[in-house]
Structure formats: structure tokens, C-alpha cells
Amino acid sequence: MDRRKFIKYASFTGASFTIAACTERKSNNPQSGVSPRTSPIAVNEPLKVGFVYVGPVGDFGWTYAHDLGRREMEVNLQGRVRSTFIENVSEGADAERVIRQLALDGNKLIFTTSFGYMNPTIKVAKDFPDVYFEHCTGYKRAANVGTYLGRFEEPRYLTGMIAGKMTKSNIIGFIGAYPIPEVIRGIGAFTQGLRATNPKAKLRVVWVQSWYDPAKEREAAQALVNLDADVLTQHTDSAAAVQLAEEKGIFAFGYNTDMSRFGAKAHLTSAINKWGKFYTHKALAVINGTWKPENVWYGIGQGMVDISPLNPAIPQDVQRLVMAKREEFIKGSAHPFNGPVKDQKGVVRVPQGKVLEDKQQLAMDWYVEGVEGSLPKGSLK
């Protein structure tokens, strides 16, 4: 299973972040009663922190966002940490080898940033009980292994709202990586937002079976344009769709980081992930001896996800509508999957007055109403 195969997720700006403000945050982890480990790092010894990346740091997507977080952590903790990263690490035996080597090299905190690293992380952690591990998007924890991700369905919903107001053809194109719960959930949240502002709009999906392949992503974007899509969005890592949209004179949304540099006119906004404050917080917890294995799943309100600055081409009334919904997400008075939510067959999956629970989101294997086509068979994992 590849990378974020369950779950993948304004900005944490280092300039305003101080060590004094970094206190232990509450967690939704069922293991939150576990006592923190109490082995503070020596005051004069920088904490060595290792990162394992599934893609290149220059993808301007998932891996780039994590590396921005790593660099922000170093700025925030100025000399108290020393970090290193290994990029383009495939899952399986290669991942285990890299994670183990980082532990052998003296890294006391290791972030593994791909779902496919989950089992290798757990395996290596057993052999290094005095090393702390944080696995992004996974669900397996241990005495020295925590998990984390962002509620990217919130910014997805907001971008869907914008798409519904900006489309003229009422056809939106979505480039999907793999048809697994993480991506399906993003498709669903986007479509819920889309239909909230434009009930006539439809979403068409093209799967590329890759997280990062600019050529395939561009081909998929072109195929969607050929199907009359005049707004493109994606759950892949390159800026190929934004670049094609700029060439074609249509609109697009970026993903993971602000991709406006690749299409100033086309780019409406991006659903972004920001990891810097979380990385700072966890590193400081290790330094202070207060680290404990948590299950962190944070949204816009906690600052782990958001949307990038809005394109002025978006009408002011639409911008106000979107920002009002954003505030509702922050306050917890709205949810991307507020009922009623129907699937493609018109079956009510979430009744009025209910929301799609986390457990159901993490196993989502169905399209919401408004998505055309069917999920590829035999590819869900």
C-alpha cells in the first residue's frame, strides 16, 4: 500500500511562534492516558531529528509541505535541534532500512511521512525504545510511536464552494491519485461544497495511479478539459494541472501548498497543509521530556490545514461566503459531511442532524451524490 493510503492535511508561521508558547496540546487519542516519557535531552546537546519522505522535496506538493515544516521547526527552535531528511524513499524494505539507519545515526525523534511507512515504523520502534517516532496518516501507535494528520476535508469543502460559483460548464475535473479512503474522502468533501453553492454542478474523476507524476497528471488534466471541465482540482502532488489550466484559460486549485506561482490567473486557491508548528511542538516535547504517543487529527481551527490567499477573480460575495463557512469550521459549528449526505444512488448515508463520523471517514469507499462514474473495482486497499 502506497503513502497516505488512509489519510493524508492558516499556516503555522515561525515568526510568531515562541518556545514559551509551546505547551502540550490535548489529543483525541484513545491512548491519551499514557504517561509522557521523561527523558529530556541534555540542555547543551541539540536534538537530532530525522525525516523520511516518499517523494522529492521539489515536488511543490506533499513532500515539499513537510520539508517547509521541517525548516520552520529549525527556525523556531534555533540551535536546539539539528534535522536531516531522506527523500524518495519507497515503502517496504527500503523504508525500514532508512528509518533504522536514522535511529542508528542518533536521531532521537523521527517523522515518517507516508502511510506506507506505518509497519516499518512500528517494527523499527520496537528495536529503539528510547527513540520517539511520529507517523503521518497512520493508525498504529506504541509507547514510542505517535500518529498525526490534518483534516484536509475542511479546505476541500471550501474549494468546492468556490468551484460551484466559478464554473460555467457545470463540469469540474478531479485528478485522483489512488481510489483509497483518503482520496475518496477529499472527493466527497469537495463535492459537498460544490453542490452547496451549485446543485447543478457535476464532478468527473480521472485516476492516474500515482502520487507524483507530472506527465500523467497533465494528461489527466487534458482529458478532463476534453470532457468540458472548466475548473480543475487534484489529489496529486505536482502543479501540472494548474499549469495546464493557465495555458487553457480556465481555473484550477492547487493542493498541499500554495501553487499560485504556477498559474497566476488560473489558480483560485490551494487546500494547504502546514506542519511547522506541529513539528516544533513535538521536538520541544522530546527536549523537555513531555512527549507521549498521541493521535493528532487537526483542522483549520488548530492551524494544520487551510486555504491559501484567494484569487481576486473570485467575486467578493463568494469570498465572504467561503470565509464565513471557514469560520464555522473553526468554531466547530459546521462539518464537511453534515447530514443529509447521499451517495450516488440517492441512499442517505448521513441523516439530517448527524455528521459522518471519523471512523466512517477513514474507511470511506463510496462516492457522494454529484460525482459521475464509478470507483475502479479491485483497487481499494
Side-chain angles (χ1 to χ4, degrees):
M1 187 180 293
D2 205 340
R3 193 167 104 181
R4 298 146 280 172
K5 294 272 175 150
F6 259 44
I7 38 185
K8 192 171 40 151
Y9 316 111
S11 168
F12 290 122
T13 303
S16 61
F17 190 89
T18 64
I19 293 175
C22 189
T23 57
E24 194 69 26
R25 295 192 277 186
K26 294 182 179 179
S27 169
N28 60 354
N29 178 18
Q31 299 185 30
S32 59
V34 177
S35 299
R37 295 164 66 88
T38 55
S39 301
I41 302 300
V43 175
N44 295 324
E45 178 185 348
L47 173 69
K48 294 184 67 175
V49 185
F51 290 79
V52 186
Y53 298 150
V54 74
V57 292
D59 65 1
F60 291 103
W62 175 257
T63 294
Y64 181 62
H66 283 286
D67 201 58
L68 288 177
R70 177 190 66 81
R71 286 183 268 168
E72 185 177 322
M73 174 196 70
E74 287 200 329
V75 171
N76 289 340
L77 296 180
Q78 299 184 12
R80 301 189 70 183
V81 297
R82 184 167 69 250
S83 69
T84 187
F85 66 86
I86 308 297
E87 61 186 330
N88 292 313
V89 179
S90 60
E91 284 78 6
D94 194 36
E96 181 182 338
R97 176 187 60 78
V98 169
I99 297 167
R100 188 176 299 279
Q101 189 61 55
L102 284 171
L104 288 170
D105 289 343
N107 291 281
K108 292 300 183 181
L109 174 60
I110 298 175
F111 293 96
T112 56
T113 63
S114 169
F115 182 83
Y117 298 155
M118 181 170 64
N119 290 333
T121 299
I122 293 293
K123 185 175 181 180
V124 175
K126 290 180 180 179
D127 296 333
F128 294 88
D130 293 326
V131 176
Y132 306 88
F133 297 84
E134 290 284 347
H135 178 235
C136 190
T137 75
Y139 56 86
K140 293 183 179 180
R141 287 173 294 283
N144 60 332
V145 181
T147 54
Y148 65 102
L149 68 156
R151 292 189 178 275
F152 63 86
E153 60 271 15
E154 293 178 356
R156 281 291 195 196
Y157 187 100
L158 300 179
T159 57
M161 291 178 67
I162 296 169
K165 290 293 189 178
M166 299 302 288
T167 182
K168 295 180 179 179
S169 68
N170 286 334
I171 301 295
I172 312 300
F174 194 108
I175 303 164
Y178 297 94
I180 43 83
E182 173 195 345
V183 184
I184 296 167
R185 185 167 73 256
I187 290 171
F190 181 91
T191 306
Q192 288 294 104
L194 174 70
R195 303 274 286 185
T197 59
N198 186 348
K200 296 181 180 179
K202 299 287 186 179
L203 189 77
R204 293 176 177 171
V205 184
V206 172
W207 298 97
V208 295
Q209 303 298 323
S210 174
W211 293 112
Y212 178 71
D213 190 324
K216 283 186 178 181
E217 293 170 54
R218 183 181 176 87
E219 290 175 2
Q222 182 62 64
L224 289 163
V225 171
N226 293 344
L227 292 172
D228 297 325
D230 61 355
V231 180
L232 301 175
T233 189
Q234 66 190 75
H235 195 125
T236 48
D237 291 348
S238 86
V242 175
Q243 291 171 318
L244 181 73
E246 185 80 358
E247 295 173 16
K248 299 293 183 179
I250 60 175
F251 293 119
F253 298 98
Y255 191 54
N256 293 302
T257 65
D258 185 342
M259 293 184 173
S260 58
R261 74 186 78 178
F262 298 102
K265 294 181 179 179
H267 181 267
L268 293 171
T269 185
S270 290
I272 57 175
N273 302 319
K274 291 282 184 156
W275 308 106
K277 188 175 180 180
F278 174 77
Y279 288 157
T280 304
H281 169 73
K282 285 299 180 179
L284 192 58
V286 173
I287 291 170
N288 291 339
T290 58
W291 185 96
K292 57 185 176 181
E294 299 178 298
N295 175 28
V296 171
W297 193 358
Y298 289 151
I300 297 175
Q302 296 79 26
M304 193 170 273
V305 297
D306 209 336
I307 52 175
S308 63
L310 301 179
N311 190 324
I314 303 171
Q316 286 297 312
D317 63 327
V318 177
Q319 294 193 34
R320 287 192 293 271
L321 184 67
V322 169
M323 297 311 287
K325 178 61 69 173
R326 177 180 177 274
E327 283 300 312
E328 291 180 14
F329 287 150
I330 291 173
K331 293 176 181 177
S333 60
H335 189 283
F337 293 103
N338 275 334
V341 178
K342 297 180 180 179
D343 64 18
Q344 286 180 310
K345 297 180 180 180
V347 176
V348 176
R349 295 293 190 112
V350 183
Q352 179 77 36
K354 302 290 185 179
V355 300
L356 189 64
E357 296 179 356
D358 287 356
K359 184 177 180 180
Q360 296 170 310
Q361 288 194 58
L362 299 181
M364 196 168 182
D365 61 355
W366 49 276
Y367 279 151
V368 300
E369 187 176 46
V371 183
E372 295 187 341
S374 56
L375 285 164
K377 295 181 180 180
S379 57
L380 295 179
K381 299 180 181 180

